[in-house]
């Protein structure tokens, strides 16, 4: 079984067992590698983070399909855990969804979610959203399900109708999306814990695996799992943290004029840990295996490639937290 087929089968099995899967939001290949090294079983490619990191634009529909697929491909080639990807609206009507699903699947994603917003879309928790007719979204879901090549490639239907048309209409739409073949339902923008609980109760009634967008602070993994959710994504957890860390270091440099030892102060990984994260040991194995002796002698003055000093960055786990 090939890598991406194996990862998709693993994700589907987990979702169908209704075991809560926590997927922190990756915005590039390095952040995805860090998620994997921290011990998480899946990553989520956040559209908000992708637009922020690649373009410095907010999540208002400015990132194109080509840019999103490019990010998916880079991330999937860097990790060995399933990637759940934001596929926005599918970038048009059902015909556009056909191409988008093919592109995301070929890039290595294990799952995508498609939303029923009008283009240009907005972040699910922003005001000013509009939704397309339910019948049009049903056609998009049917197209996505029928065109995928790997049956384990999950199609997640995201419904943004709560903020526009109310919860009852959202549930009506979600049930239609499930009947159209969606593997997982994503009721977007719950504002309170009551919303989260009500969504979970509705999901149990129709037997649908549910995805929760964990943008509210203070969510507890055990509670979310007990409600029956299958997936918890954390799309905006990491890129604001990274942005703040970079800003703080730059402000220290600007104020003091000194470039202090950030590793010593605990603000940075060591050089060798970073090299492990960006796969230098893997590169050295390829050099050792495939480069001729003459080239090794020219580069290193020896017939063997010198090993890279390695400092372990083992996965950490906190049984009380989200890890």
């Amino acid at each position: 079984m090939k890598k991406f087929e194996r990862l998709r089968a693993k994700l589907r099995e987990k979702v169908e067992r209704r075991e809560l899967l926590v997927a922190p939001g990756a915005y590039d290949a390095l952040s995805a590698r860090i998620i994997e090294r921290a011990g998480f079983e899946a990553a989520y490619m956040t559209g908000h983070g992708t637009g922020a990191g690649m373009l410095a634009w907010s999540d208002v529909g400015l990132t194109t399909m080509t840019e999103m697929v490019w990010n998916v491909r880079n991330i999937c080639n860097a990790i060995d855990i399933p990637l759940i990807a934001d596929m926005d609206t599918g970038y048009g009507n059902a015909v556009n969804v056909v191409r988008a699903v093919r592109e995301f699947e070929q890039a290595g994603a294990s799952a995508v979610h498609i939303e029923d917003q009008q283009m240009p879309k907005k972040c699910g928790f922003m005001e000013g959203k509009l939704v397309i007719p339910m019948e049009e979204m049903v056609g998009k879901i049917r197209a996505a399900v029928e065109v995928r090549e790997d049956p384990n490639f999950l199609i997640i239907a995201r419904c943004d109708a709560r903020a526009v048309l109310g919860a009852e209409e959202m549930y009506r739409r979600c049930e239609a999306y499930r009947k159209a073949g969606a593997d997982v339902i994503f009721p977007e923008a719950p504002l309170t814990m009551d919303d989260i609980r009500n969504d979970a109760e509705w999901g149990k009634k129709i037997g649908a695996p549910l995805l929760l967008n964990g943008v509210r602070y203070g969510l507890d993994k055990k509670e979310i799992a007990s409600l029956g959710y299958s997936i918890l994504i954390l799309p905006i957890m990491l890129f604001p943290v990274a942005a703040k860390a970079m800003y703080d270091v730059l402000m220290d440099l600007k104020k003091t004029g000194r470039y202090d030892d950030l590793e010593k102060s605990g603000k940075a990984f060591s050089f060798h840990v970073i090299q492990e994260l960006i796969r230098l040991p893997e590169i050295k194995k390829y050099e050792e295996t495939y480069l001729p002796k003459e080239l090794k002698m020219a580069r290193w003055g020896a017939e063997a490639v010198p090993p890279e000093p390695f400092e372990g960055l083992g996965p950490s786990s906190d049984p009380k937290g989200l890890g």
Side-chain angles (χ1 to χ4, degrees), residues 238-293:
L238 294 183
F239 76 85
V241 172
K244 179 66 162 57
M246 287 186 279
Y247 181 79
D248 288 348
V249 166
L250 291 169
M251 290 305 295
D252 286 344
L253 174 62
K254 185 176 180 181
K255 290 175 182 177
T256 66
R258 290 172 52 85
Y259 175 30
D260 291 324
D261 187 338
L262 299 177
E263 178 190 344
K264 196 172 184 179
S265 63
K267 296 178 180 178
F269 285 133
S270 72
F271 177 80
H272 296 302
V273 166
I274 284 293
Q275 293 308 309
E276 190 275 333
L277 282 170
I278 57 178
R279 296 178 281 175
L280 182 58
E282 182 180 338
I283 293 168
K284 290 212 164 191
K285 288 181 182 178
Y286 295 147
E287 290 174 329
E288 176 62 36
T289 303
Y290 302 118
L291 296 187
K293 292 180 181 179

